Amino acid sequence: MQQPSRPVISNQPGPHHDLARRVSRGLTHPLRKPIAAHTQQAFELAAEWRETQSGPLILDAGCGVGLSTRRLAEQFSDHMVIGIDRSESRLTRVHGELPANAKLVRADLVDFWRLAHQAGWAPERHYLLYPNPYPKASHLKMRWHGHPVFPTLLAIGGLLEVRSNWQLYVEEFALAVSQVTGRQAEVGAWAPDGDYLTPFEAKYHQSGQALWRLRVALEPT
């Protein structure tokens, strides 16, 4: 029997006081570290697979055990869906057989996003489903919107959708999106009305937690 999930607890009463500075730093000091060899190889294999497919691209960033990748591929059967996760352990626990229009890739997201941007990839949709919220105030830089790769994440473009069980996470994310792009993201409560996209979504929702969603349409730059 699945254990109920605990709600996120944070020592932050509101958006982090250092958020704007962290985002500005990411804009003025882009990442320069070398791309890891294993992610370079994984990206090249993903690019080769992409050439065999047709239809618009969907990125499922941090796909975990791949349930979301499979369900997105089933929902958008005329698209190609690439799920990326850094954990080999999670990717070996795939939920069900993947459709032909889906592929799972083991790679570091920070490097994969940078390579996708360099290659001019322009996904139609881009999902970040239940990322680790790192709720301690001291961990802001570990949240995606506090990370130096954040401007690159946005520059890839597409309809970006972020889901979380921590309202403050999506609110901060929206503030960071506005700072970088000038666009106002849509943020609101999210109630799944069909199959859960991820095991986390199922666990949080069945535990009675409120879920939150951010959506924003971005132009590739």
Side-chain angles (χ1 to χ4, degrees):
M1 182 176 179
Q2 183 170 269
Q3 294 296 315
S5 179
R6 296 179 180 178
V8 176
I9 297 175
S10 175
N11 57 349
Q12 274 186 232
H16 201 288
H17 65 87
D18 203 32
L19 177 64
R21 188 191 68 82
R22 289 291 311 179
V23 173
S24 292
R25 182 173 176 80
L27 288 167
T28 57
H29 296 79
L31 280 173
R32 301 294 185 191
K33 77 176 184 70
I35 301 292
H38 69 85
T39 294
Q40 180 72 57
Q41 182 180 20
F43 181 82
E44 291 170 0
L45 291 174
E48 290 176 7
W49 175 83
R50 187 183 173 209
E51 291 299 317
T52 70
Q53 302 295 307
S54 60
L57 173 65
I58 295 174
L59 292 181
D60 182 17
C63 65
V65 295
L67 177 62
S68 51
T69 304
R70 175 167 66 82
R71 289 190 169 163
L72 288 169
E74 292 168 349
Q75 181 180 351
F76 299 98
S77 58
D78 57 346
H79 291 57
M80 52 182 134
V81 184
I82 297 178
I84 311 106
D85 201 274
R86 67 181 180 181
S87 169
E88 182 177 10
S89 174
R90 285 192 289 265
L91 290 173
T92 56
R93 302 198 303 271
V94 175
H95 285 242
E97 184 177 353
L98 284 178
N101 64 322
K103 182 174 181 61
L104 296 177
V105 177
R106 184 192 176 200
D108 178 85
L109 267 175
V110 172
D111 287 351
F112 195 94
W113 277 325
R114 294 160 68 200
L115 290 167
H117 184 241
Q118 292 170 14
W121 285 21
E124 183 178 280
R125 293 172 178 266
H126 193 172
Y127 289 86
L128 265 174
L129 301 173
Y130 304 95
N132 189 329
Y134 293 106
K136 292 182 180 180
S138 60
H139 291 165
L140 170 64
K141 64 184 179 181
M142 300 173 73
R143 302 171 199 163
W144 285 128
H145 47 274
H147 193 283
V149 81
F150 185 68
T152 303
L153 186 168
L154 300 182
I156 294 171
L159 178 60
L160 177 63
E161 181 164 331
V162 182
R163 298 185 192 177
S164 177
N165 62 326
W166 189 30
Q167 182 179 0
L168 190 54
Y169 188 95
V170 294
E171 290 176 348
E172 279 190 350
F173 203 107
L175 290 171
V177 167
S178 178
Q179 182 175 342
V180 175
T181 69
R183 293 178 179 251
Q184 300 301 311
E186 171 193 339
V187 173
W190 166 247
D193 57 0
D195 289 335
Y196 297 111
L197 275 185
T198 78
F200 283 122
E201 186 165 74
K203 187 173 184 177
Y204 298 151
H205 191 246
Q206 291 167 8
S207 296
Q209 293 188 37
L211 304 180
W212 302 90
R213 182 176 72 169
L214 173 150
R215 302 181 83 198
V216 61
L218 301 168
E219 293 294 330
T221 58

mmCIF file with all atom_site columns, all heavy atoms in Angstrom, residues 11 42 53 65 72 87 90 101 107-108 117 125-126 136 142 187 193:
data_model
loop_
_atom_site.group_PDB
_atom_site.id
_atom_site.type_symbol
_atom_site.label_atom_id
_atom_site.label_alt_id
_atom_site.label_comp_id
_atom_site.label_asym_id
_atom_site.label_entity_id
_atom_site.label_seq_id
_atom_site.pdbx_PDB_ins_code
_atom_site.Cartn_x
_atom_site.Cartn_y
_atom_site.Cartn_z
_atom_site.occupancy
_atom_site.B_iso_or_equiv
_atom_site.pdbx_formal_charge
_atom_site.auth_seq_id
_atom_site.auth_comp_id
_atom_site.auth_asym_id
_atom_site.auth_atom_id
_atom_site.pdbx_PDB_model_num
ATOM 1   N N   . ASN A 1 11  ? 11.254 27.007 5.145   1.00 0.00 ? 11  ASN A N   1
ATOM 2   C CA  . ASN A 1 11  ? 11.473 28.157 6.029   1.00 0.00 ? 11  ASN A CA  1
ATOM 3   C C   . ASN A 1 11  ? 11.345 29.482 5.271   1.00 0.00 ? 11  ASN A C   1
ATOM 4   O O   . ASN A 1 11  ? 11.681 30.530 5.784   1.00 0.00 ? 11  ASN A O   1
ATOM 5   C CB  . ASN A 1 11  ? 12.851 28.079 6.692   1.00 0.00 ? 11  ASN A CB  1
ATOM 6   C CG  . ASN A 1 11  ? 14.005 27.995 5.697   1.00 0.00 ? 11  ASN A CG  1
ATOM 7   O OD1 . ASN A 1 11  ? 13.795 27.797 4.504   1.00 0.00 ? 11  ASN A OD1 1
ATOM 8   N ND2 . ASN A 1 11  ? 15.223 28.142 6.193   1.00 0.00 ? 11  ASN A ND2 1
ATOM 9   N N   . ALA A 1 42  ? 24.937 10.824 -25.403 1.00 0.00 ? 42  ALA A N   1
ATOM 10  C CA  . ALA A 1 42  ? 23.495 10.576 -25.295 1.00 0.00 ? 42  ALA A CA  1
ATOM 11  C C   . ALA A 1 42  ? 22.723 11.533 -26.198 1.00 0.00 ? 42  ALA A C   1
ATOM 12  O O   . ALA A 1 42  ? 21.740 11.134 -26.846 1.00 0.00 ? 42  ALA A O   1
ATOM 13  C CB  . ALA A 1 42  ? 23.049 10.731 -23.847 1.00 0.00 ? 42  ALA A CB  1
ATOM 14  N N   . GLN A 1 53  ? 12.182 10.164 -36.942 1.00 0.00 ? 53  GLN A N   1
ATOM 15  C CA  . GLN A 1 53  ? 10.812 10.437 -36.545 1.00 0.00 ? 53  GLN A CA  1
ATOM 16  C C   . GLN A 1 53  ? 10.228 11.591 -37.354 1.00 0.00 ? 53  GLN A C   1
ATOM 17  O O   . GLN A 1 53  ? 10.928 12.304 -38.068 1.00 0.00 ? 53  GLN A O   1
ATOM 18  C CB  . GLN A 1 53  ? 10.755 10.792 -35.053 1.00 0.00 ? 53  GLN A CB  1
ATOM 19  C CG  . GLN A 1 53  ? 11.303 9.724  -34.128 1.00 0.00 ? 53  GLN A CG  1
ATOM 20  C CD  . GLN A 1 53  ? 10.476 8.457  -34.160 1.00 0.00 ? 53  GLN A CD  1
ATOM 21  O OE1 . GLN A 1 53  ? 9.264  8.476  -33.967 1.00 0.00 ? 53  GLN A OE1 1
ATOM 22  N NE2 . GLN A 1 53  ? 11.136 7.329  -34.403 1.00 0.00 ? 53  GLN A NE2 1
ATOM 23  N N   . VAL A 1 65  ? 10.920 7.587  -14.045 1.00 0.00 ? 65  VAL A N   1
ATOM 24  C CA  . VAL A 1 65  ? 10.744 6.213  -14.507 1.00 0.00 ? 65  VAL A CA  1
ATOM 25  C C   . VAL A 1 65  ? 10.073 6.134  -15.873 1.00 0.00 ? 65  VAL A C   1
ATOM 26  O O   . VAL A 1 65  ? 9.747  5.048  -16.342 1.00 0.00 ? 65  VAL A O   1
ATOM 27  C CB  . VAL A 1 65  ? 9.942  5.387  -13.475 1.00 0.00 ? 65  VAL A CB  1
ATOM 28  C CG1 . VAL A 1 65  ? 10.720 5.244  -12.176 1.00 0.00 ? 65  VAL A CG1 1
ATOM 29  C CG2 . VAL A 1 65  ? 8.568  6.018  -13.223 1.00 0.00 ? 65  VAL A CG2 1
ATOM 30  N N   . LEU A 1 72  ? 2.660  10.879 -22.481 1.00 0.00 ? 72  LEU A N   1
ATOM 31  C CA  . LEU A 1 72  ? 2.684  12.009 -23.415 1.00 0.00 ? 72  LEU A CA  1
ATOM 32  C C   . LEU A 1 72  ? 2.741  11.510 -24.852 1.00 0.00 ? 72  LEU A C   1
ATOM 33  O O   . LEU A 1 72  ? 2.086  12.074 -25.745 1.00 0.00 ? 72  LEU A O   1
ATOM 34  C CB  . LEU A 1 72  ? 3.875  12.916 -23.113 1.00 0.00 ? 72  LEU A CB  1
ATOM 35  C CG  . LEU A 1 72  ? 3.767  13.760 -21.842 1.00 0.00 ? 72  LEU A CG  1
ATOM 36  C CD1 . LEU A 1 72  ? 5.107  14.412 -21.515 1.00 0.00 ? 72  LEU A CD1 1
ATOM 37  C CD2 . LEU A 1 72  ? 2.682  14.833 -21.976 1.00 0.00 ? 72  LEU A CD2 1
ATOM 38  N N   . SER A 1 87  ? 19.226 9.488  -13.953 1.00 0.00 ? 87  SER A N   1
ATOM 39  C CA  . SER A 1 87  ? 19.345 8.282  -13.144 1.00 0.00 ? 87  SER A CA  1
ATOM 40  C C   . SER A 1 87  ? 19.110 7.021  -13.964 1.00 0.00 ? 87  SER A C   1
ATOM 41  O O   . SER A 1 87  ? 18.010 6.787  -14.471 1.00 0.00 ? 87  SER A O   1
ATOM 42  C CB  . SER A 1 87  ? 18.338 8.332  -11.983 1.00 0.00 ? 87  SER A CB  1
ATOM 43  O OG  . SER A 1 87  ? 18.264 7.087  -11.334 1.00 0.00 ? 87  SER A OG  1
ATOM 44  N N   . ARG A 1 90  ? 16.376 4.888  -12.224 1.00 0.00 ? 90  ARG A N   1
ATOM 45  C CA  . ARG A 1 90  ? 14.981 5.256  -12.509 1.00 0.00 ? 90  ARG A CA  1
ATOM 46  C C   . ARG A 1 90  ? 14.582 4.820  -13.914 1.00 0.00 ? 90  ARG A C   1
ATOM 47  O O   . ARG A 1 90  ? 13.478 4.303  -14.128 1.00 0.00 ? 90  ARG A O   1
ATOM 48  C CB  . ARG A 1 90  ? 14.786 6.766  -12.336 1.00 0.00 ? 90  ARG A CB  1
ATOM 49  C CG  . ARG A 1 90  ? 14.753 7.204  -10.880 1.00 0.00 ? 90  ARG A CG  1
ATOM 50  C CD  . ARG A 1 90  ? 14.280 8.637  -10.746 1.00 0.00 ? 90  ARG A CD  1
ATOM 51  N NE  . ARG A 1 90  ? 15.254 9.602  -11.216 1.00 0.00 ? 90  ARG A NE  1
ATOM 52  C CZ  . ARG A 1 90  ? 16.136 10.217 -10.443 1.00 0.00 ? 90  ARG A CZ  1
ATOM 53  N NH1 . ARG A 1 90  ? 16.195 9.932  -9.139  1.00 0.00 ? 90  ARG A NH1 1
ATOM 54  N NH2 . ARG A 1 90  ? 16.988 11.109 -10.942 1.00 0.00 ? 90  ARG A NH2 1
ATOM 55  N N   . ASN A 1 101 ? 7.000  6.387  -30.898 1.00 0.00 ? 101 ASN A N   1
ATOM 56  C CA  . ASN A 1 101 ? 7.306  7.819  -31.014 1.00 0.00 ? 101 ASN A CA  1
ATOM 57  C C   . ASN A 1 101 ? 7.918  8.383  -29.735 1.00 0.00 ? 101 ASN A C   1
ATOM 58  O O   . ASN A 1 101 ? 7.953  9.605  -29.547 1.00 0.00 ? 101 ASN A O   1
ATOM 59  C CB  . ASN A 1 101 ? 6.052  8.618  -31.385 1.00 0.00 ? 101 ASN A CB  1
ATOM 60  C CG  . ASN A 1 101 ? 4.970  8.556  -30.309 1.00 0.00 ? 101 ASN A CG  1
ATOM 61  O OD1 . ASN A 1 101 ? 4.769  7.516  -29.686 1.00 0.00 ? 101 ASN A OD1 1
ATOM 62  N ND2 . ASN A 1 101 ? 4.268  9.659  -30.099 1.00 0.00 ? 101 ASN A ND2 1
ATOM 63  N N   . ALA A 1 107 ? 20.883 11.304 -19.298 1.00 0.00 ? 107 ALA A N   1
ATOM 64  C CA  . ALA A 1 107 ? 21.765 12.444 -19.523 1.00 0.00 ? 107 ALA A CA  1
ATOM 65  C C   . ALA A 1 107 ? 21.593 13.446 -18.397 1.00 0.00 ? 107 ALA A C   1
ATOM 66  O O   . ALA A 1 107 ? 20.581 13.453 -17.687 1.00 0.00 ? 107 ALA A O   1
ATOM 67  C CB  . ALA A 1 107 ? 21.455 13.105 -20.870 1.00 0.00 ? 107 ALA A CB  1
ATOM 68  N N   . ASP A 1 108 ? 22.585 14.305 -18.257 1.00 0.00 ? 108 ASP A N   1
ATOM 69  C CA  . ASP A 1 108 ? 22.499 15.421 -17.325 1.00 0.00 ? 108 ASP A CA  1
ATOM 70  C C   . ASP A 1 108 ? 21.680 16.521 -17.987 1.00 0.00 ? 108 ASP A C   1
ATOM 71  O O   . ASP A 1 108 ? 22.022 16.988 -19.080 1.00 0.00 ? 108 ASP A O   1
ATOM 72  C CB  . ASP A 1 108 ? 23.906 15.923 -17.003 1.00 0.00 ? 108 ASP A CB  1
ATOM 73  C CG  . ASP A 1 108 ? 23.875 17.114 -16.079 1.00 0.00 ? 108 ASP A CG  1
ATOM 74  O OD1 . ASP A 1 108 ? 23.819 16.923 -14.862 1.00 0.00 ? 108 ASP A OD1 1
ATOM 75  O OD2 . ASP A 1 108 ? 23.899 18.249 -16.586 1.00 0.00 ? 108 ASP A OD2 1
ATOM 76  N N   . HIS A 1 117 ? 19.914 23.598 -27.192 1.00 0.00 ? 117 HIS A N   1
ATOM 77  C CA  . HIS A 1 117 ? 19.887 25.001 -27.621 1.00 0.00 ? 117 HIS A CA  1
ATOM 78  C C   . HIS A 1 117 ? 20.923 25.255 -28.699 1.00 0.00 ? 117 HIS A C   1
ATOM 79  O O   . HIS A 1 117 ? 20.637 25.914 -29.710 1.00 0.00 ? 117 HIS A O   1
ATOM 80  C CB  . HIS A 1 117 ? 20.133 25.904 -26.415 1.00 0.00 ? 117 HIS A CB  1
ATOM 81  C CG  . HIS A 1 117 ? 20.025 27.358 -26.738 1.00 0.00 ? 117 HIS A CG  1
ATOM 82  N ND1 . HIS A 1 117 ? 21.077 28.236 -26.577 1.00 0.00 ? 117 HIS A ND1 1
ATOM 83  C CD2 . HIS A 1 117 ? 18.993 28.094 -27.225 1.00 0.00 ? 117 HIS A CD2 1
ATOM 84  C CE1 . HIS A 1 117 ? 20.695 29.440 -26.939 1.00 0.00 ? 117 HIS A CE1 1
ATOM 85  N NE2 . HIS A 1 117 ? 19.436 29.388 -27.337 1.00 0.00 ? 117 HIS A NE2 1
ATOM 86  N N   . ARG A 1 125 ? 6.431  21.488 -27.151 1.00 0.00 ? 125 ARG A N   1
ATOM 87  C CA  . ARG A 1 125 ? 6.065  21.433 -25.739 1.00 0.00 ? 125 ARG A CA  1
ATOM 88  C C   . ARG A 1 125 ? 7.278  20.995 -24.927 1.00 0.00 ? 125 ARG A C   1
ATOM 89  O O   . ARG A 1 125 ? 8.107  20.209 -25.409 1.00 0.00 ? 125 ARG A O   1
ATOM 90  C CB  . ARG A 1 125 ? 4.899  20.459 -25.496 1.00 0.00 ? 125 ARG A CB  1
ATOM 91  C CG  . ARG A 1 125 ? 3.583  20.913 -26.116 1.00 0.00 ? 125 ARG A CG  1
ATOM 92  C CD  . ARG A 1 125 ? 2.513  19.826 -26.016 1.00 0.00 ? 125 ARG A CD  1
ATOM 93  N NE  . ARG A 1 125 ? 1.253  20.284 -26.562 1.00 0.00 ? 125 ARG A NE  1
ATOM 94  C CZ  . ARG A 1 125 ? 0.269  20.827 -25.846 1.00 0.00 ? 125 ARG A CZ  1
ATOM 95  N NH1 . ARG A 1 125 ? 0.398  20.928 -24.527 1.00 0.00 ? 125 ARG A NH1 1
ATOM 96  N NH2 . ARG A 1 125 ? -0.847 21.217 -26.411 1.00 0.00 ? 125 ARG A NH2 1
ATOM 97  N N   . HIS A 1 126 ? 7.324  21.473 -23.697 1.00 0.00 ? 126 HIS A N   1
ATOM 98  C CA  . HIS A 1 126 ? 8.459  21.184 -22.813 1.00 0.00 ? 126 HIS A CA  1
ATOM 99  C C   . HIS A 1 126 ? 7.885  21.019 -21.407 1.00 0.00 ? 126 HIS A C   1
ATOM 100 O O   . HIS A 1 126 ? 7.252  21.945 -20.880 1.00 0.00 ? 126 HIS A O   1
ATOM 101 C CB  . HIS A 1 126 ? 9.429  22.365 -22.869 1.00 0.00 ? 126 HIS A CB  1
ATOM 102 C CG  . HIS A 1 126 ? 10.763 22.097 -22.258 1.00 0.00 ? 126 HIS A CG  1
ATOM 103 N ND1 . HIS A 1 126 ? 11.813 22.984 -22.359 1.00 0.00 ? 126 HIS A ND1 1
ATOM 104 C CD2 . HIS A 1 126 ? 11.251 21.063 -21.506 1.00 0.00 ? 126 HIS A CD2 1
ATOM 105 C CE1 . HIS A 1 126 ? 12.868 22.508 -21.728 1.00 0.00 ? 126 HIS A CE1 1
ATOM 106 N NE2 . HIS A 1 126 ? 12.550 21.347 -21.198 1.00 0.00 ? 126 HIS A NE2 1
ATOM 107 N N   . LYS A 1 136 ? 14.429 24.337 1.310   1.00 0.00 ? 136 LYS A N   1
ATOM 108 C CA  . LYS A 1 136 ? 15.183 25.195 2.218   1.00 0.00 ? 136 LYS A CA  1
ATOM 109 C C   . LYS A 1 136 ? 15.620 26.461 1.482   1.00 0.00 ? 136 LYS A C   1
ATOM 110 O O   . LYS A 1 136 ? 16.060 26.409 0.337   1.00 0.00 ? 136 LYS A O   1
ATOM 111 C CB  . LYS A 1 136 ? 16.409 24.463 2.765   1.00 0.00 ? 136 LYS A CB  1
ATOM 112 C CG  . LYS A 1 136 ? 16.085 23.312 3.693   1.00 0.00 ? 136 LYS A CG  1
ATOM 113 C CD  . LYS A 1 136 ? 17.368 22.687 4.226   1.00 0.00 ? 136 LYS A CD  1
ATOM 114 C CE  . LYS A 1 136 ? 17.061 21.525 5.170   1.00 0.00 ? 136 LYS A CE  1
ATOM 115 N NZ  . LYS A 1 136 ? 18.308 20.907 5.696   1.00 0.00 ? 136 LYS A NZ  1
ATOM 116 N N   . MET A 1 142 ? 19.695 25.544 -6.247  1.00 0.00 ? 142 MET A N   1
ATOM 117 C CA  . MET A 1 142 ? 19.495 24.189 -6.729  1.00 0.00 ? 142 MET A CA  1
ATOM 118 C C   . MET A 1 142 ? 18.148 24.024 -7.431  1.00 0.00 ? 142 MET A C   1
ATOM 119 O O   . MET A 1 142 ? 17.922 23.014 -8.097  1.00 0.00 ? 142 MET A O   1
ATOM 120 C CB  . MET A 1 142 ? 19.616 23.205 -5.560  1.00 0.00 ? 142 MET A CB  1
ATOM 121 C CG  . MET A 1 142 ? 20.976 23.263 -4.877  1.00 0.00 ? 142 MET A CG  1
ATOM 122 S SD  . MET A 1 142 ? 21.084 22.271 -3.366  1.00 0.00 ? 142 MET A SD  1
ATOM 123 C CE  . MET A 1 142 ? 21.118 20.613 -4.054  1.00 0.00 ? 142 MET A CE  1
ATOM 124 N N   . VAL A 1 187 ? -0.320 30.686 -13.809 1.00 0.00 ? 187 VAL A N   1
ATOM 125 C CA  . VAL A 1 187 ? -0.105 29.845 -12.635 1.00 0.00 ? 187 VAL A CA  1
ATOM 126 C C   . VAL A 1 187 ? -1.438 29.606 -11.958 1.00 0.00 ? 187 VAL A C   1
ATOM 127 O O   . VAL A 1 187 ? -2.216 30.543 -11.743 1.00 0.00 ? 187 VAL A O   1
ATOM 128 C CB  . VAL A 1 187 ? 0.876  30.507 -11.637 1.00 0.00 ? 187 VAL A CB  1
ATOM 129 C CG1 . VAL A 1 187 ? 0.957  29.691 -10.347 1.00 0.00 ? 187 VAL A CG1 1
ATOM 130 C CG2 . VAL A 1 187 ? 2.255  30.661 -12.248 1.00 0.00 ? 187 VAL A CG2 1
ATOM 131 N N   . ASP A 1 193 ? -7.368 15.219 -14.283 1.00 0.00 ? 193 ASP A N   1
ATOM 132 C CA  . ASP A 1 193 ? -8.704 14.756 -14.666 1.00 0.00 ? 193 ASP A CA  1
ATOM 133 C C   . ASP A 1 193 ? -8.658 13.449 -15.458 1.00 0.00 ? 193 ASP A C   1
ATOM 134 O O   . ASP A 1 193 ? -9.648 13.030 -16.029 1.00 0.00 ? 193 ASP A O   1
ATOM 135 C CB  . ASP A 1 193 ? -9.428 15.834 -15.478 1.00 0.00 ? 193 ASP A CB  1
ATOM 136 C CG  . ASP A 1 193 ? -8.660 16.244 -16.724 1.00 0.00 ? 193 ASP A CG  1
ATOM 137 O OD1 . ASP A 1 193 ? -7.568 15.684 -16.957 1.00 0.00 ? 193 ASP A OD1 1
ATOM 138 O OD2 . ASP A 1 193 ? -9.153 17.113 -17.466 1.00 0.00 ? 193 ASP A OD2 1
#
